Amino acid sequence: MAFWSFISHHKLLGLLFLLLVWLATSTTGIRLSVVQRPSPELHFFREAPAFRNGDECGSTEADHINVAMTLDVNYLRGTMAAVLSMLQHSTCPENLRFYFLSAHDLPELNSIISSTFPYLNFKIYEFDPNWVRGKISKSIRQALDQPLNYARIYLAHILPSDVRRVVYLDSDIIMVDDVAKLWGVDLEGKVVAAPEYCHANFTLYFTVKFWSDPKLSNAFKGRNPCYFNTGVMVMDVDKWRREGYTNKVESWMLVQKIKRIYHLGSLPPFLLALAGNIKPVDHRWNQHGLGGDNFEGKCRSLHPGPISLLHWSGKGKPWLRLDSRKPCIVDRLWAPYDLYRTTSHFFEE
């Protein structure tokens, strides 16, 4: 008797289970919420504090500061830290307008940003990778060959026509000063403003084949070209549109496909189109190279002098080195802005 009672009991449990499944999936029945453990690939971030404008901040369209960044799921942790740093150090954080470029139409990205920064003024624009299909040449590091790395070339064609000026920033930066100071740089008629590094050996950014061909190297005739990093730029988007700079950069990408005139990704065609013809700004706005070189990503020290922006350009990224428990000293400067929480932390709350 006990045996049949046991069987009947479990049959009843089985029927109850099937009933619950039917109710959960039926379009006419009661909808039940099923709690699922999120995929470990998904990112979870703590909600950032609300940052409010100071009394001296204006509220008109002219007071807005436009910031453009790419939104890559592999660099999302860096992007969130960068946004937090800008809000935290801004006198008028509510005046910041973020324009994110993404190669994927993922609703999750929008919800992640909204839940992390409930008061953030932002919009995500889709970047079509087909725009650079057949134009990207293999470089020294795979990450540099991703289509989204070239999205900055197409900013003028993606953003609304009423956006006439932006601060473009990479995802591996931390702002430790008010971005309004960078935004307010006088471009003096130039299309781009960025820190220049004229002490760098400019010839190394191009191949011997380039320098030995006068038809190619004459591209810099009449200019004093210097290296600048395209991860931190103030851009006159309106002037970029009018003067066709997208076509100028693209034309050098096509030359590269045929003649192999450089080894890096999107940087050299930018240099070919603009080096020696930008508005230089103080080096404090791009303390770059903190990610080491493009091969090993070894630790580097800070350059002497004042700092307004830290930039982990290079192979090493601070969140990866911190997670590996082998951080560089400079990575400790990034850590306070890290909003990431692991799935284990998520379920502990």
Side-chain angles (χ1 to χ4, degrees):
M1 181 67 71
F3 171 79
W4 292 110
S5 176
F6 173 83
I7 292 296
S8 300
H9 173 72
H10 281 75
K11 280 184 177 180
L12 179 61
L13 289 176
L15 288 171
L16 285 172
F17 174 76
L18 290 173
L19 178 61
L20 287 171
V21 170
W22 178 81
L23 287 172
T25 57
S26 172
T27 56
T28 57
I30 302 170
R31 302 291 295 178
L32 298 179
S33 297
V34 181
V35 178
Q36 296 179 331
R37 184 179 181 87
S39 166
E41 286 79 20
L42 292 179
H43 295 275
F44 294 95
F45 298 91
R46 300 188 304 277
E47 182 177 323
F51 296 94
R52 300 301 186 187
N53 280 357
D55 294 336
E56 66 274 31
C57 298
S59 56
T60 68
E61 193 70 28
D63 297 307
H64 293 168
I65 296 172
N66 302 320
V67 179
M69 305 179 74
T70 56
L71 206 56
D72 186 332
V73 291
N74 296 313
Y75 288 81
L76 188 58
R77 190 168 168 186
T79 303
M80 304 300 257
V83 171
L84 175 61
S85 71
M86 279 181 267
L87 295 172
Q88 185 169 319
H89 294 285
S90 176
T91 303
C92 305
E94 292 179 278
N95 289 355
L96 301 187
R97 298 291 185 271
F98 287 88
Y99 299 88
F100 295 113
L101 310 182
S102 174
H104 304 285
D105 183 16
L106 296 176
E108 294 86 351
L109 289 176
N110 194 87
S111 61
I112 287 172
I113 295 174
S114 297
S115 60
T116 307
F117 300 104
Y119 306 100
L120 193 69
N121 294 300
F122 77 94
K123 187 169 182 179
I124 300 176
Y125 294 84
E126 188 175 356
F127 167 70
D128 187 355
N130 287 319
W131 287 355
V132 290
R133 192 175 302 280
K135 299 173 185 174
I136 297 178
S137 301
K138 185 177 176 62
S139 68
I140 60 174
R141 185 158 62 92
Q142 187 177 1
L144 301 176
D145 301 337
Q146 301 305 308
L148 197 58
N149 199 42
Y150 290 79
R152 70 198 83 188
I153 299 170
Y154 301 92
L155 269 174
H157 306 281
I158 298 173
L159 300 183
S161 58
D162 60 344
V163 177
R164 307 183 66 179
R165 178 185 177 112
V166 298
V167 175
Y168 176 83
L169 299 171
D170 275 351
S171 297
D172 51 2
I173 66 98
I174 289 294
M175 186 76 67
V176 291
D177 203 342
D178 194 337
V179 67
K181 298 177 184 176
L182 181 59
W183 167 259
V185 167
D186 184 357
L187 286 168
E188 297 180 359
K190 304 296 185 182
V191 71
V192 164
E196 278 188 324
Y197 302 91
C198 295
H199 63 278
N201 188 346
F202 191 78
T203 61
L204 297 178
Y205 291 96
F206 303 94
T207 63
V208 173
K209 181 183 292 186
F210 172 84
W211 293 113
S212 60
D213 187 341
K215 292 181 180 179
L216 297 173
S217 58
N218 278 345
F220 294 117
K221 188 175 181 179
R223 290 192 268 165
N224 181 27
C226 295
Y227 161 73
F228 68 95
N229 183 283
T230 56
V232 179
M233 299 184 289
V234 183
M235 302 177 68
D236 184 336
V237 184
D238 204 31
K239 185 179 179 69
W240 185 285
R241 291 189 190 103
R242 292 196 316 268
E243 300 187 7
Y245 273 91
T246 295
N247 290 335
K248 293 177 182 180
V249 176
E250 279 187 331
S251 66
W252 284 112
M253 293 168 63
L254 295 175
V255 172
Q256 163 73 353
K257 293 290 289 185
I258 300 169
K259 298 193 175 183
R260 191 70 181 172
I261 58 175
Y262 54 79
H263 298 299
L264 290 173
S266 62
L267 171 63
F270 254 92
L271 296 178
L272 285 160
L274 289 160
N277 193 30
I278 71 169
K279 169 62 188 295
V281 299
D282 197 288
H283 287 182
R284 69 188 301 154
W285 289 107
N286 196 349
Q287 178 85 206
H288 68 289
L290 301 183
D293 60 26
N294 281 304
F295 297 101
E296 298 182 61
K298 291 183 178 179
C299 295
R300 287 184 178 175
S301 302
L302 294 174
H303 305 298
I307 299 171
S308 293
L309 183 147
L310 299 160
H311 188 186
W312 278 261
S313 57
K315 185 177 181 180
K317 301 307 173 190
W319 55 92
L320 296 177
R321 296 195 295 214
L322 286 163
D323 285 353
S324 70
R325 301 181 186 274
K326 296 179 181 178
C328 300
I329 294 176
V330 293
D331 298 340
R332 301 296 184 187
L333 300 174
W334 182 90
Y337 302 94
D338 186 14
L339 291 169
Y340 179 70
R341 57 180 179 181
T342 63
T343 51
S344 59
H345 290 156
F346 178 80
F347 286 104
E348 287 170 2
E349 293 180 359

